Amino acid sequence: MSDFKPLVLAIILGLLALPVLSLAQDELIIISPHPEGIETEFGKNFEKWYAAETGRTVKTDWRDVGGTSSNYRFIESEFKRVPDGIGIDIFFGGGTDNYLRLSNMGWLHAYKLPGTQLEHMMQSFQGIPLYDAEYQWYGAALSSFGIMYNEELRELLQLPKATAWEDLGNLELLGRIGAADPRESGSAHMVYEIILQTIGWKDGFALLTKLGGNVRGFSAGANAIPTDVVAGQVIYGLAIDFYAYGQIAVVGADKIKYVVPADGAVFTADPIAILKGAPNLPVAEKFLEFVLSEDAQKLWMLRDTDSEGPQWKDGLNRASVLPALYDKLGERCIVPNPFAMEGTPFQYDSKKGGTRWNIVNDLFGVLIIDSHKDLVNAWKAIQKCKDPAKRDAAIAILTKMPITEEEAMQLASDAWNAPTVRNEKIKEWGQFAKEKFKEARNLAR
């Protein structure tokens, strides 16, 4: 009888512990600008995969403070405040330039994927790295940037096609273009940077100024633009490919078109990385293995009706980073194979783009977005001007820049993180913009 009580007590204590054990699970904290569909599909499928791989449960906690640029600024400010770790495991999504900057700051945790996965991946494509040589980040998908337009309304209004970046500066398109603020949207920034690298700093900013004059209004996020194009709020929109493909899947390729300009066709990696000091490091490493697995890469490219595809309505419409997967899936793919693209692609300079990311955003913000009302008024005056000589002179004034590319790169490398320098320049540029738009408007009149 003396042995009975301890045995009963042990059984009771074991039963009491069962609910606690059943609630125990691993956690993964992810900061990402990705839309809900991507978060849902990669979250729930990772949770299933993780349970099968480890025998444990995991909960994915997705966080977002805005677009890619906003998320980057948050990560940067938090690491400056807490250098050893910011309580977040994974940064997932956004352009390569951001990850190069995070790597240079020492805020990424290197993790080499298993060799069986790496052997199916390309380290670079079109001169653009698809994963870091030191394994600090990996491209999770490929992205292109281009122009989508409402073909039905374009034909109805007898507006020109836009197949090259230069077409977006056409005066006929005034008020017809949708675009986003690069200070908030990483994909918007990439479009503008691609234009600058494609046709040069001076001509590039001249085109961006004219494009800005045609923009109906700048949204905070690039995800609003495709829906505006479909709704006819604008006829043309600057878009990352999967936003455009998503809308085409809904309304049809006969109604909505998407073109990657041949003069600036760039495919870049949309990366993923483990952040320094990740609180759930073993889980984070597993998440990288999952995202770069064949099963997860199929989620990007298959229809929602495919048994191996996503359940999210109309699919995710993105390009995989695994070249062999396109041939393996064949006609089941819903996106074109970027690795089979014909012609000579534009060689995008990721290092240059990353170095001047902030200064390009500030220049575009001050000269085009913050001054948008004055820009549009001057652009309208130029549109109404009947004198070709006066019109050309007014456009030359409208598109003047306060800084050369060499000066911008020097500032970006040396002084742009100093608040006093940045604030003084922004004030100076704001006054420059106000004066040049007034001069251009008066001349056109």
Side-chain angles (χ1 to χ4, degrees):
M1 194 70 177
S2 60
D3 294 334
F4 181 72
K5 288 182 179 179
L7 178 61
V8 171
L9 181 61
I11 292 172
I12 292 172
L13 290 173
L15 291 172
L16 289 173
L18 283 176
V20 176
L21 290 173
S22 66
L23 291 174
Q25 65 178 359
D26 295 330
E27 184 181 24
L28 183 68
I29 304 170
I30 308 165
I31 185 168
S32 172
H34 281 319
E36 183 183 358
I38 294 175
E39 293 182 2
T40 299
E41 288 296 330
F42 277 82
K44 71 179 183 181
N45 281 286
F46 172 64
E47 290 168 8
K48 293 176 185 176
W49 181 89
Y50 186 81
E53 285 280 315
T54 68
R56 297 176 61 82
T57 59
V58 63
K59 176 66 176 176
T60 52
D61 178 1
W62 296 82
R63 302 179 184 180
D64 185 11
V65 295
T68 300
S69 296
S70 298
N71 282 323
Y72 175 85
R73 285 196 300 271
F74 173 80
I75 292 170
E76 181 181 45
S77 65
E78 286 297 285
F79 269 114
K80 288 179 178 178
R81 187 177 64 85
V82 190
D84 294 331
I86 62 173
I88 298 174
D89 299 299
I90 294 282
F91 184 28
F92 186 13
T96 305
D97 294 352
N98 284 312
Y99 289 77
L100 293 174
R101 294 156 72 203
L102 289 171
S103 174
N104 290 336
M105 297 298 291
W107 293 335
L108 298 182
H109 174 86
Y111 175 63
K112 185 176 181 179
L113 288 172
T116 52
Q117 285 190 273
L118 282 175
E119 67 186 17
H120 296 294
M121 300 170 62
M122 294 174 63
Q123 204 279 316
S124 66
F125 174 57
Q126 299 181 358
I128 297 172
L130 296 189
Y131 65 83
D132 179 55
E134 297 180 359
Y135 312 108
Q136 294 189 75
W137 58 265
Y138 296 86
L142 286 178
S143 300
S144 68
F145 305 86
I147 307 163
M148 66 178 293
Y149 54 93
N150 189 314
E151 178 64 5
E152 282 189 321
L153 289 178
R154 186 198 67 78
E155 287 189 341
L156 180 66
L157 297 170
Q158 297 184 328
L159 293 168
K161 288 185 177 181
T163 58
W165 297 122
E166 282 85 352
D167 295 337
L168 298 174
N170 191 325
L171 272 165
E172 292 183 68
L173 307 189
L174 199 152
R176 305 291 194 181
I177 297 178
D181 187 336
R183 297 169 297 187
E184 302 297 332
S185 168
S187 60
H189 172 96
M190 281 301 300
V191 171
Y192 307 141
E193 178 63 34
I194 287 169
I195 289 173
L196 291 177
Q197 291 198 24
T198 301
I199 61 178
W201 181 267
K202 183 179 178 180
D203 291 341
F205 257 111
L207 173 57
L208 291 178
T209 304
K210 291 184 282 187
L211 185 159
N214 286 332
V215 170
R216 182 172 180 263
F218 288 92
S219 62
N223 59 331
I225 296 165
T227 55
D228 286 347
V229 172
V230 172
Q233 297 295 320
V234 292
I235 310 301
Y236 312 82
L238 303 179
I240 191 170
D241 53 6
F242 69 95
Y243 285 145
Y245 291 141
Q247 293 299 324
I248 290 171
V250 174
V251 302
D254 58 326
K255 297 179 176 65
I256 301 296
K257 303 293 184 182
Y258 174 71
V259 60
V260 178
D263 58 344
V266 176
F267 286 88
T268 65
D270 193 351
I272 183 170
I274 300 173
L275 295 176
K276 176 185 176 183
N280 305 289
L281 182 57
V283 185
E285 293 172 347
K286 283 293 184 184
F287 189 67
L288 257 64
E289 292 178 24
F290 166 72
V291 169
L292 276 301
S293 70
E294 190 173 282
D295 286 345
Q297 289 290 302
K298 289 177 182 178
L299 296 173
W300 294 129
M301 303 199 298
L302 295 178
R303 294 174 176 82
D304 57 327
T305 54
D306 194 297
S307 61
E308 294 184 285
Q311 294 180 3
W312 191 258
K313 183 173 172 56
D314 301 313
L316 302 182
N317 305 288
R318 303 212 65 179
S320 169
V321 293
L322 303 181
L325 195 55
Y326 294 88
D327 289 336
K328 187 171 185 177
L329 296 178
E331 293 183 358
R332 294 165 64 193
C333 291
I334 58 176
V335 296
N337 180 358
F339 297 101
M341 185 177 67
E342 296 182 358
T344 303
F346 174 72
Q347 296 294 305
Y348 178 80
D349 188 336
S350 296
K351 183 177 180 181
K352 177 187 283 187
T355 299
R356 68 189 193 188
W357 181 283
N358 287 330
I359 201 165
V360 165
N361 281 354
D362 286 331
L363 276 164
F364 193 97
V366 174
L367 299 177
I368 297 173
I369 300 178
D370 298 344
S371 308
H372 194 237
K373 184 177 179 180
D374 291 337
L375 167 57
V376 172
N377 286 338
W379 198 227
K380 286 179 178 178
I382 290 170
Q383 185 189 49
K384 294 175 183 177
C385 182
K386 303 300 182 183
D387 184 333
K390 286 179 65 176
R391 176 184 286 194
D392 291 345
I395 290 175
I397 294 168
L398 183 94
T399 57
K400 284 194 304 184
M401 283 294 291
I403 186 172
T404 66
E405 181 173 24
E406 291 73 19
E407 291 168 340
M409 292 300 295
Q410 190 66 44
L411 274 174
S413 300
D414 295 343
W416 206 244
N417 288 327
T420 52
V421 173
R422 178 176 177 269
N423 291 338
E424 286 176 5
K425 283 295 180 183
I426 285 176
K427 183 179 179 180
E428 176 187 318
W429 296 341
Q431 186 62 32
F432 175 87
K434 185 175 182 178
E435 290 174 0
K436 75 166 182 171
F437 292 144
K438 181 180 179 180
E439 184 182 356
R441 185 181 69 246
N442 289 341
L443 179 59
R445 286 175 176 172

